[in-house]
Amino acid sequence: MSSSLPPNVHVSTHPCLLAKLSQLRSKTTSARDVKTLIHDISLLLGSEALAKAMTTAPGPQGETPLGFTYETTTATPGNISLIPILRSGLGMVEAIQTILPQPVPVHHLGLFRDPITLAPVEYYNNLPNHLVSPTQETASDLAIILDPIIATGGTCAAAIQTLIEWGAKRVIVLSVLGAAEGVKKVAEEWPEGTEIWLAGVDQELTQGGMLKPGLGDVGDRLFLTIGK
């Protein structure tokens, strides 16, 4: 399956991750367990992605509790931002914050699909576009989009375009599950600057734009709004 995807798309083969994805698909999985599984999958997937996207550099001398000195290690790039797509992307934030060695900014993007056209509509954006002083925040060297589901790909592609306009130098997309055609669309949005990491890929979409077999609406399952 992954061989037919663009080279900037990476589908995990981690056995534990795949087993957890299978559990997440089940309709009998409780909201509490959905939250835990999203966290665990994000942790495993994020570890794989960041191992490829980051490097280490020697830091200043440190001292252990016994008084021995050692050379510290830093991870680069240091200028990283997390970009969760509201609302389901919020379920992935804590896992990636756990992996990263230093706290990083979290900038939220609110996008939804028009129910008729399935086109993305932006309703919230707190990227610091309005900060023009050179002493204030600049765009990230690495922006990490957190979006559990890639269906048609329109929402994630729109988020990438927003980050390009913001000035992000590189983008990583972390998703639990994607539809093959939607993933290809996202991969083609900015292929030279974007790497996409997924736990799994489904081949079909329903007429309503849902993955088949998929795992349902992640936001509804996380926030107990099914049937709203």
Side-chain angles (χ1 to χ4, degrees), residues 23 55 149:
Q23 295 169 358
T55 58
I149 297 293

Side-chain angles (χ1 to χ4, degrees), residues 30-75:
S30 69
R32 184 186 299 273
D33 288 339
V34 166
K35 180 180 180 181
T36 299
L37 287 166
I38 291 288
H39 177 276
D40 292 352
I41 291 170
S42 301
L43 197 66
L44 291 166
L45 192 64
S47 295
E48 292 184 2
L50 292 173
K52 296 291 186 181
M54 301 182 73
T55 58
T56 59
Q61 288 290 109
E63 185 175 335
T64 73
L66 296 179
F68 301 114
T69 60
Y70 69 99
E71 184 179 76
T72 62
T73 300
T74 60

